[in-house]
Coordinates of all heavy atoms in Angstrom, one line a residue:
M1067 N -12.0 12.0 2.4 CA -11.1 11.1 3.0 C -10.4 10.3 1.9 O -11.1 9.9 0.9 CB -11.8 10.3 4.0 CG -10.8 9.2 4.7 SD -11.5 8.3 6.0 CE -12.7 7.3 5.3
I1068 N -9.2 9.9 2.1 CA -8.5 9.0 1.2 C -8.5 7.6 1.8 O -8.2 7.4 2.9 CB -7.0 9.5 1.0 CG1 -6.9 10.9 0.5 CG2 -6.2 8.5 0.2 CD1 -7.5 11.0 -0.9
R1069 N -8.9 6.7 0.9 CA -8.9 5.2 1.3 C -7.8 4.5 0.6 O -7.7 4.6 -0.6 CB -10.2 4.6 1.0 CG -10.3 3.1 1.3 CD -11.6 2.5 1.1 NE -11.6 1.1 1.5 CZ -11.5 0.1 0.7 NH1 -11.3 0.3 -0.6 NH2 -11.5 -1.1 1.1
Y1070 N -7.0 3.8 1.3 CA -5.8 3.1 0.7 C -6.3 1.6 0.5 O -7.0 1.1 1.3 CB -4.6 3.1 1.7 CG -4.1 4.5 1.9 CD1 -4.4 5.2 3.0 CD2 -3.3 5.1 0.9 CE1 -3.9 6.5 3.2 CE2 -2.8 6.3 1.1 CZ -3.1 7.0 2.3 OH -2.6 8.3 2.5
H1071 N -5.8 1.1 -0.6 CA -6.1 -0.3 -0.9 C -4.9 -1.2 -0.8 O -4.7 -2.2 -1.6 CB -6.6 -0.4 -2.4 CG -7.8 0.5 -2.6 ND1 -9.1 0.1 -2.2 CD2 -8.0 1.7 -3.2 CE1 -9.9 1.1 -2.5 NE2 -9.3 2.0 -3.1
L1072 N -4.1 -0.9 0.2 CA -2.8 -1.6 0.4 C -3.1 -3.1 0.7 O -2.4 -4.0 0.2 CB -2.0 -1.0 1.5 CG -0.5 -1.3 1.6 CD1 0.2 -1.3 0.2 CD2 0.2 -0.5 2.6
K1073 N -4.1 -3.4 1.6 CA -4.4 -4.8 1.9 C -4.7 -5.6 0.7 O -4.3 -6.7 0.5 CB -5.5 -4.9 3.0 CG -5.1 -4.5 4.4 CD -6.4 -4.6 5.3 CE -6.1 -4.2 6.7 NZ -7.3 -4.3 7.5
E1074 N -5.5 -5.0 -0.1 CA -6.0 -5.7 -1.4 C -4.8 -5.9 -2.3 O -4.7 -7.0 -2.9 CB -7.1 -4.9 -2.1 CG -8.4 -4.8 -1.3 CD -8.4 -3.5 -0.4 OE1 -7.4 -3.0 0.0 OE2 -9.6 -3.1 -0.1
L1075 N -3.9 -4.9 -2.4 CA -2.8 -5.1 -3.3 C -1.8 -6.2 -2.8 O -1.2 -7.0 -3.6 CB -2.0 -3.8 -3.5 CG -2.8 -2.7 -4.3 CD1 -2.1 -1.4 -4.2 CD2 -2.9 -3.2 -5.8
I1076 N -1.7 -6.2 -1.5 CA -0.8 -7.3 -0.9 C -1.4 -8.6 -1.2 O -0.7 -9.6 -1.6 CB -0.7 -7.1 0.6 CG1 0.2 -5.8 0.9 CG2 0.0 -8.3 1.3 CD1 0.2 -5.4 2.4
A1077 N -2.7 -8.8 -1.0 CA -3.4 -10.1 -1.2 C -3.3 -10.5 -2.7 O -3.0 -11.7 -3.0 CB -4.9 -10.0 -0.8
E1078 N -3.4 -9.6 -3.6 CA -3.3 -9.9 -5.0 C -1.9 -10.3 -5.4 O -1.7 -11.3 -6.1 CB -3.7 -8.7 -5.9 CG -5.1 -8.4 -5.9 CD -5.5 -7.1 -6.6 OE1 -4.6 -6.6 -7.4 OE2 -6.6 -6.6 -6.5
K1079 N -0.9 -9.6 -4.8 CA 0.5 -10.0 -5.1 C 0.9 -11.3 -4.4 O 1.6 -12.1 -5.1 CB 1.5 -8.9 -4.5 CG 2.9 -9.0 -4.9 CD 3.7 -7.8 -4.5 CE 5.2 -7.9 -4.9 NZ 5.4 -7.7 -6.3
E1080 N 0.3 -11.6 -3.2 CA 0.5 -12.9 -2.6 C 0.0 -14.0 -3.5 O 0.6 -15.1 -3.7 CB -0.1 -12.9 -1.2 CG 0.7 -12.2 -0.2 CD 0.0 -12.2 1.2 OE1 -1.3 -12.3 1.3 OE2 0.7 -12.1 2.2
F1081 N -1.2 -13.8 -4.0 CA -1.9 -14.8 -4.8 C -1.1 -15.0 -6.1 O -0.8 -16.2 -6.5 CB -3.3 -14.4 -5.2 CG -4.1 -15.4 -6.0 CD1 -4.6 -16.5 -5.4 CD2 -4.2 -15.2 -7.3 CE1 -5.3 -17.5 -6.2 CE2 -4.9 -16.1 -8.1 CZ -5.4 -17.3 -7.5
A1082 N -0.7 -13.9 -6.8 CA 0.0 -14.0 -8.0 C 1.4 -14.7 -7.9 O 1.8 -15.5 -8.8 CB 0.2 -12.6 -8.6
E1083 N 2.1 -14.4 -6.8 CA 3.4 -15.0 -6.6 C 3.4 -16.3 -5.7 O 4.4 -16.9 -5.5 CB 4.3 -13.9 -5.9 CG 4.5 -12.7 -6.8 CD 5.4 -11.7 -6.2 OE1 6.1 -11.9 -5.2 OE2 5.6 -10.6 -6.9
R1084 N 2.2 -16.6 -5.3 CA 2.0 -17.9 -4.4 C 2.9 -17.9 -3.3 O 3.6 -18.9 -3.0 CB 2.1 -19.1 -5.3 CG 1.1 -19.2 -6.4 CD 1.3 -20.4 -7.2 NE 0.3 -20.3 -8.3 CZ -0.3 -21.4 -8.8 NH1 0.1 -22.6 -8.4 NH2 -1.1 -21.3 -9.8
R1085 N 3.0 -16.8 -2.5 CA 3.8 -16.7 -1.3 C 3.3 -15.6 -0.4 O 2.5 -14.8 -0.8 CB 5.3 -16.5 -1.7 CG 5.5 -15.1 -2.3 CD 6.9 -14.9 -2.7 NE 7.2 -13.6 -3.2 CZ 7.6 -12.6 -2.4 NH1 7.8 -12.8 -1.2 NH2 7.7 -11.4 -2.9
R1086 N 3.7 -15.7 0.8 CA 3.3 -14.6 1.8 C 4.2 -13.4 1.7 O 5.4 -13.6 1.5 CB 3.4 -15.2 3.2 CG 3.0 -14.3 4.3 CD 2.4 -15.0 5.5 NE 2.3 -14.2 6.6 CZ 1.4 -13.2 6.8 NH1 0.5 -13.0 5.9 NH2 1.4 -12.6 8.0
I1087 N 3.6 -12.3 1.7 CA 4.3 -11.0 1.7 C 4.1 -10.3 3.0 O 3.0 -10.1 3.4 CB 3.9 -10.1 0.5 CG1 4.2 -10.9 -0.8 CG2 4.5 -8.8 0.5 CD1 3.7 -10.2 -2.1
T1088 N 5.2 -9.9 3.7 CA 5.1 -9.2 5.0 C 5.3 -7.7 4.8 O 5.9 -7.2 3.8 CB 6.1 -9.8 5.9 OG1 7.4 -9.4 5.4 CG2 6.0 -11.3 6.1
I1089 N 4.8 -7.0 5.8 CA 5.1 -5.6 5.8 C 6.6 -5.3 5.9 O 7.0 -4.3 5.3 CB 4.3 -4.9 7.1 CG1 2.8 -5.0 6.9 CG2 4.8 -3.5 7.2 CD1 2.0 -4.5 8.0
G1090 N 7.3 -6.1 6.6 CA 8.7 -6.0 6.7 C 9.4 -6.1 5.3 O 10.3 -5.3 5.0
E1091 N 8.9 -7.0 4.5 CA 9.5 -7.1 3.1 C 9.2 -5.9 2.3 O 10.0 -5.4 1.6 CB 8.8 -8.4 2.4 CG 9.3 -8.5 1.0 CD 8.6 -9.7 0.3 OE1 8.1 -10.6 1.0 OE2 8.5 -9.7 -0.9
I1092 N 7.9 -5.4 2.4 CA 7.5 -4.2 1.6 C 8.4 -3.0 2.1 O 8.9 -2.2 1.3 CB 6.0 -3.9 1.8 CG1 5.2 -5.1 1.2 CG2 5.7 -2.6 1.1 CD1 3.7 -5.0 1.6
A1093 N 8.6 -2.9 3.4 CA 9.4 -1.8 4.0 C 10.8 -1.9 3.4 O 11.4 -0.9 3.0 CB 9.4 -1.9 5.5
K1094 N 11.4 -3.1 3.4 CA 12.8 -3.2 2.9 C 12.9 -2.9 1.4 O 13.8 -2.2 1.0 CB 13.2 -4.7 3.1 CG 14.6 -5.0 2.7 CD 15.0 -6.4 3.0 CE 16.4 -6.7 2.5 NZ 16.8 -8.1 2.7
E1095 N 11.9 -3.4 0.6 CA 12.0 -3.1 -0.8 C 11.7 -1.7 -1.2 O 12.2 -1.2 -2.2 CB 11.0 -4.1 -1.5 CG 11.3 -5.5 -1.4 CD 12.6 -5.9 -2.2 OE1 12.8 -5.4 -3.3 OE2 13.3 -6.7 -1.7
T1096 N 10.8 -1.0 -0.4 CA 10.4 0.4 -0.8 C 11.2 1.4 -0.1 O 11.2 2.6 -0.5 CB 8.9 0.6 -0.5 OG1 8.6 0.4 0.9 CG2 8.1 -0.4 -1.4
G1097 N 11.7 1.1 1.1 CA 12.4 2.1 1.9 C 11.4 2.9 2.8 O 11.8 3.9 3.4
I1098 N 10.2 2.4 2.8 CA 9.2 3.1 3.7 C 9.2 2.4 5.0 O 9.2 1.2 5.2 CB 7.8 2.9 3.0 CG1 7.7 3.5 1.6 CG2 6.7 3.5 3.9 CD1 6.4 3.2 0.9
N1099 N 9.2 3.2 6.1 CA 9.2 2.7 7.5 C 8.0 1.8 7.7 O 6.9 2.0 7.3 CB 9.2 3.9 8.4 CG 9.3 3.5 9.8 OD1 8.4 2.9 10.4 ND2 10.5 3.8 10.4
R1100 N 8.3 0.7 8.5 CA 7.2 -0.3 8.8 C 6.1 0.4 9.5 O 4.9 0.0 9.3 CB 7.8 -1.4 9.7 CG 8.7 -2.4 9.0 CD 9.4 -3.3 10.0 NE 8.3 -4.0 10.8 CZ 8.1 -5.2 10.8 NH1 8.7 -6.0 10.0 NH2 7.1 -5.7 11.6
M1101 N 6.4 1.3 10.4 CA 5.3 2.0 11.2 C 4.4 2.8 10.2 O 3.2 2.8 10.4 CB 5.9 2.9 12.2 CG 4.8 3.5 13.1 SD 3.8 2.3 14.0 CE 4.8 1.8 15.2
T1102 N 5.0 3.4 9.2 CA 4.2 4.1 8.2 C 3.3 3.2 7.4 O 2.1 3.5 7.2 CB 5.2 4.9 7.3 OG1 6.0 5.8 8.0 CG2 4.4 5.7 6.2
L1103 N 3.9 2.1 7.0 CA 3.0 1.1 6.3 C 1.9 0.6 7.2 O 0.8 0.4 6.7 CB 3.9 -0.1 5.8 CG 4.9 0.2 4.7 CD1 5.9 -0.9 4.5 CD2 4.2 0.6 3.4
S1104 N 2.2 0.3 8.4 CA 1.2 -0.1 9.4 C 0.0 0.9 9.5 O -1.1 0.6 9.5 CB 1.8 -0.5 10.7 OG 0.8 -0.9 11.6
K1105 N 0.4 2.2 9.6 CA -0.6 3.2 9.7 C -1.4 3.3 8.5 O -2.6 3.5 8.5 CB 0.1 4.6 10.0 CG 0.6 4.6 11.5 CD 1.3 6.0 11.7 CE 1.8 6.0 13.1 NZ 2.5 7.3 13.4
I1106 N -0.8 3.2 7.3 CA -1.5 3.3 6.0 C -2.6 2.1 6.0 O -3.7 2.3 5.6 CB -0.6 3.2 4.8 CG1 0.2 4.5 4.7 CG2 -1.4 2.9 3.5 CD1 1.3 4.4 3.7
I1107 N -2.2 1.0 6.4 CA -3.1 -0.2 6.4 C -4.2 -0.1 7.5 O -5.3 -0.4 7.2 CB -2.2 -1.5 6.6 CG1 -1.4 -1.8 5.4 CG2 -3.2 -2.7 6.9 CD1 -0.3 -2.9 5.6
N1108 N -3.8 0.3 8.7 CA -4.8 0.2 9.8 C -5.5 1.5 10.2 O -6.4 1.4 11.0 CB -4.0 -0.4 11.0 CG -3.5 -1.8 10.8 OD1 -4.2 -2.6 10.3 ND2 -2.2 -2.0 11.0
H1109 N -5.1 2.6 9.7 CA -5.7 3.9 10.1 C -6.3 4.6 8.9 O -5.6 5.3 8.2 CB -4.7 4.8 10.8 CG -4.1 4.2 12.1 ND1 -4.9 4.1 13.2 CD2 -2.9 3.7 12.3 CE1 -4.1 3.5 14.1 NE2 -2.9 3.3 13.6
P1110 N -7.7 4.4 8.7 CA -8.3 5.1 7.6 C -8.0 6.6 7.5 O -8.1 7.3 8.6 CB -9.8 4.8 7.8 CG -9.8 3.6 8.7 CD -8.6 3.7 9.5
G1111 N -7.7 7.1 6.4 CA -7.5 8.5 6.2 C -6.1 9.0 6.6 O -5.8 10.2 6.6
H1112 N -5.2 8.0 7.0 CA -3.8 8.4 7.4 C -3.2 9.2 6.2 O -3.3 8.9 5.1 CB -3.0 7.1 7.6 CG -1.5 7.5 7.9 ND1 -1.1 8.0 9.1 CD2 -0.4 7.3 7.1 CE1 0.2 8.2 9.0 NE2 0.6 7.8 7.8
S1113 N -2.5 10.3 6.6 CA -1.8 11.1 5.7 C -0.4 10.6 5.5 O 0.3 10.3 6.4 CB -1.8 12.6 6.2 OG -1.1 13.4 5.3
T1114 N 0.1 10.5 4.2 CA 1.4 10.2 3.9 C 1.9 11.0 2.8 O 1.2 11.7 2.1 CB 1.5 8.6 3.6 OG1 2.9 8.3 3.5 CG2 0.8 8.3 2.3
V1115 N 3.2 11.0 2.6 CA 3.8 11.9 1.5 C 3.7 11.2 0.2 O 3.6 9.9 0.1 CB 5.3 12.2 1.8 CG1 5.4 13.0 3.1 CG2 6.1 10.9 1.9
T1116 N 3.7 12.0 -0.9 CA 3.5 11.4 -2.2 C 4.7 10.5 -2.6 O 4.5 9.6 -3.4 CB 3.4 12.6 -3.3 OG1 4.5 13.4 -3.2 CG2 2.1 13.3 -3.1
D1117 N 5.8 10.7 -2.1 CA 7.0 9.8 -2.4 C 6.6 8.4 -2.0 O 7.0 7.5 -2.7 CB 8.2 10.3 -1.7 CG 9.5 9.6 -2.1 OD1 9.7 9.4 -3.3 OD2 10.2 9.1 -1.2
N1118 N 6.0 8.2 -0.8 CA 5.6 6.9 -0.4 C 4.6 6.3 -1.4 O 4.6 5.1 -1.7 CB 5.0 6.9 1.0 CG 6.0 7.2 2.1 OD1 7.2 7.0 1.9 ND2 5.6 7.5 3.3
L1119 N 3.6 7.1 -1.8 CA 2.7 6.6 -2.8 C 3.4 6.1 -4.1 O 3.0 5.1 -4.6 CB 1.6 7.6 -3.1 CG 0.8 8.1 -1.9 CD1 -0.2 9.2 -2.3 CD2 0.0 7.0 -1.3
D1120 N 4.3 6.9 -4.5 CA 5.1 6.6 -5.7 C 5.8 5.3 -5.5 O 5.8 4.4 -6.4 CB 6.0 7.7 -6.0 CG 6.8 7.5 -7.3 OD1 6.1 7.2 -8.4 OD2 8.0 7.6 -7.3
R1121 N 6.5 5.1 -4.4 CA 7.2 3.9 -4.1 C 6.3 2.6 -4.1 O 6.7 1.6 -4.6 CB 8.0 4.0 -2.8 CG 9.1 5.0 -2.8 CD 9.7 5.1 -1.5 NE 10.7 6.2 -1.5 CZ 11.6 6.4 -0.5 NH1 11.5 5.6 0.6 NH2 12.4 7.3 -0.5
L1122 N 5.1 2.8 -3.5 CA 4.2 1.7 -3.4 C 3.6 1.3 -4.8 O 3.5 0.2 -5.1 CB 3.0 2.0 -2.5 CG 3.4 2.0 -1.0 CD1 2.3 2.6 -0.1 CD2 3.7 0.6 -0.5
C1123 N 3.4 2.3 -5.6 CA 2.9 2.1 -7.0 C 4.0 1.3 -7.8 O 3.7 0.4 -8.5 CB 2.6 3.4 -7.7 SG 1.0 4.1 -7.2
Y1124 N 5.2 1.7 -7.6 CA 6.3 1.0 -8.2 C 6.4 -0.4 -7.7 O 6.6 -1.4 -8.5 CB 7.6 1.8 -8.0 CG 8.8 1.2 -8.7 CD1 9.0 1.3 -10.1 CD2 9.7 0.4 -8.0 CE1 10.1 0.8 -10.7 CE2 10.8 -0.2 -8.7 CZ 11.0 0.0 -10.0 OH 12.0 -0.6 -10.7
Y1125 N 6.4 -0.6 -6.4 CA 6.5 -2.0 -5.8 C 5.4 -2.9 -6.3 O 5.6 -4.0 -6.7 CB 6.5 -1.9 -4.3 CG 6.5 -3.2 -3.6 CD1 7.7 -3.9 -3.5 CD2 5.4 -3.8 -3.1 CE1 7.8 -5.2 -2.9 CE2 5.5 -5.1 -2.5 CZ 6.7 -5.7 -2.4 OH 6.7 -7.0 -1.8
F1126 N 4.2 -2.4 -6.3 CA 3.0 -3.2 -6.7 C 2.8 -3.2 -8.2 O 1.8 -3.8 -8.7 CB 1.8 -2.8 -6.0 CG 1.8 -3.2 -4.5 CD1 2.0 -2.3 -3.5 CD2 1.6 -4.5 -4.1 CE1 2.1 -2.6 -2.2 CE2 1.6 -4.9 -2.8 CZ 1.9 -4.0 -1.8
D1127 N 3.6 -2.4 -9.0 CA 3.4 -2.2 -10.4 C 1.9 -1.9 -10.7 O 1.3 -2.6 -11.5 CB 3.8 -3.5 -11.1 CG 3.9 -3.3 -12.6 OD1 4.1 -2.2 -13.1 OD2 3.6 -4.3 -13.4
C1128 N 1.5 -0.8 -10.1 CA 0.1 -0.4 -10.3 C 0.0 1.1 -10.5 O 1.0 1.8 -10.3 CB -0.7 -0.8 -9.0 SG -0.3 0.2 -7.5
E1129 N -1.2 1.5 -10.9 CA -1.5 3.0 -11.1 C -2.0 3.5 -9.7 O -2.5 2.7 -8.9 CB -2.6 3.2 -12.1 CG -2.2 2.7 -13.5 CD -1.0 3.5 -14.1 OE1 -0.9 4.7 -13.9 OE2 -0.1 2.8 -14.7
I1130 N -1.9 4.8 -9.5 CA -2.3 5.4 -8.3 C -3.7 5.1 -8.0 O -4.1 5.0 -6.8 CB -2.0 6.9 -8.3 CG1 -2.2 7.6 -6.9 CG2 -2.9 7.7 -9.3 CD1 -1.1 7.2 -5.9
E1131 N -4.6 5.0 -9.0 CA -6.0 4.8 -8.8 C -6.2 3.4 -8.2 O -7.3 3.2 -7.6 CB -6.8 4.8 -10.1 CG -6.8 6.2 -10.7 CD -5.5 6.5 -11.6 OE1 -4.7 5.6 -11.8 OE2 -5.5 7.6 -12.1
Q1132 N -5.3 2.5 -8.3 CA -5.4 1.1 -7.7 C -5.0 1.2 -6.3 O -5.4 0.3 -5.5 CB -4.6 0.1 -8.5 CG -5.1 -0.1 -9.9 CD -4.1 -0.9 -10.7 OE1 -3.1 -0.4 -11.2 NE2 -4.4 -2.2 -10.8
L1133 N -4.2 2.2 -5.9 CA -3.7 2.3 -4.5 C -4.6 3.1 -3.6 O -4.8 2.8 -2.4 CB -2.3 2.8 -4.6 CG -1.6 3.1 -3.2 CD1 -1.4 1.7 -2.5 CD2 -0.3 3.7 -3.4
V1134 N -5.2 4.2 -4.2 CA -6.0 5.1 -3.3 C -7.3 5.4 -4.0 O -7.4 5.4 -5.3 CB -5.2 6.4 -3.0 CG1 -4.0 6.2 -2.2 CG2 -4.9 7.2 -4.2
T1135 N -8.3 5.7 -3.2 CA -9.6 6.2 -3.7 C -10.0 7.4 -2.8 O -9.8 7.3 -1.6 CB -10.7 5.1 -3.5 OG1 -10.3 4.0 -4.3 CG2 -12.0 5.6 -4.0
H1136 N -10.6 8.4 -3.4 CA -11.1 9.5 -2.7 C -12.5 9.3 -2.3 O -13.4 9.0 -3.2 CB -11.0 10.8 -3.5 CG -11.6 12.0 -2.8 ND1 -12.7 12.6 -3.2 CD2 -11.2 12.7 -1.7 CE1 -13.0 13.6 -2.4 NE2 -12.1 13.7 -1.5
I1137 N -12.9 9.3 -1.0 CA -14.2 9.1 -0.5 C -14.7 10.5 -0.1 O -14.2 11.2 0.7 CB -14.3 8.2 0.7 CG1 -13.6 6.9 0.4 CG2 -15.7 8.0 1.2 CD1 -14.2 6.0 -0.6
K1138 N -15.8 11.0 -0.8 CA -16.4 12.3 -0.4 C -17.1 12.2 0.9 O -17.8 11.3 1.2 CB -17.4 12.7 -1.5 CG -16.7 13.0 -2.8 CD -17.7 13.5 -3.8 CE -17.0 13.8 -5.1 NZ -17.9 14.4 -6.1
D1139 N -16.9 13.3 1.7 CA -17.6 13.4 3.0 C -19.0 13.9 2.6 O -19.2 14.7 1.7 CB -16.9 14.5 3.8 CG -15.5 14.0 4.3 OD1 -15.3 12.8 4.4 OD2 -14.7 14.9 4.5
V1140 N -20.0 13.4 3.3 CA -21.4 13.8 3.1 C -21.9 14.5 4.2 O -21.5 14.5 5.3 CB -22.3 12.6 2.8 CG1 -22.1 12.1 1.4 CG2 -22.1 11.5 3.8

């Protein structure tokens, strides 16, 4: 399963910029639909296209490893 760290990245960006960041703002800046962002945040294992991952890495100025982690099924 893939685990997204979007909540953590939002919290870090909010702290660094000392302001609140909304899903709507991220959607506007990245071009990713708000519903897609909501699913990534709230539904573990949600599948999304690599273009969205690329846009999120660019927005948060992070590496893919900071955005997603692979969790092995046992």
Side-chain angles (χ1 to χ4, degrees):
M1067 177 172 70
I1068 299 296
R1069 178 176 182 261
Y1070 297 99
H1071 302 283
L1072 195 50
K1073 284 182 184 178
E1074 293 92 337
L1075 289 171
I1076 292 170
E1078 288 175 15
K1079 189 170 180 77
E1080 285 179 333
F1081 182 78
E1083 296 182 8
R1084 296 180 183 209
R1085 65 186 186 90
R1086 181 152 165 74
I1087 296 174
T1088 65
I1089 292 176
E1091 177 184 337
I1092 298 169
K1094 182 179 177 184
E1095 294 291 323
T1096 62
I1098 301 171
N1099 185 289
R1100 288 174 53 114
M1101 184 59 76
T1102 300
L1103 290 170
S1104 180
K1105 286 180 182 178
I1106 290 171
I1107 291 170
N1108 297 309
H1109 300 287
H1112 174 73
S1113 179
T1114 190
V1115 296
T1116 55
D1117 188 48
N1118 287 345
L1119 299 177
D1120 184 53
R1121 291 175 186 193
L1122 289 169
C1123 285
Y1124 183 77
Y1125 177 78
F1126 288 104
D1127 190 28
C1128 70
E1129 299 295 322
I1130 191 72
E1131 295 86 1
Q1132 294 171 279
L1133 179 61
V1134 298
T1135 302
H1136 176 251
I1137 308 293
K1138 292 184 181 183
D1139 293 331
V1140 282

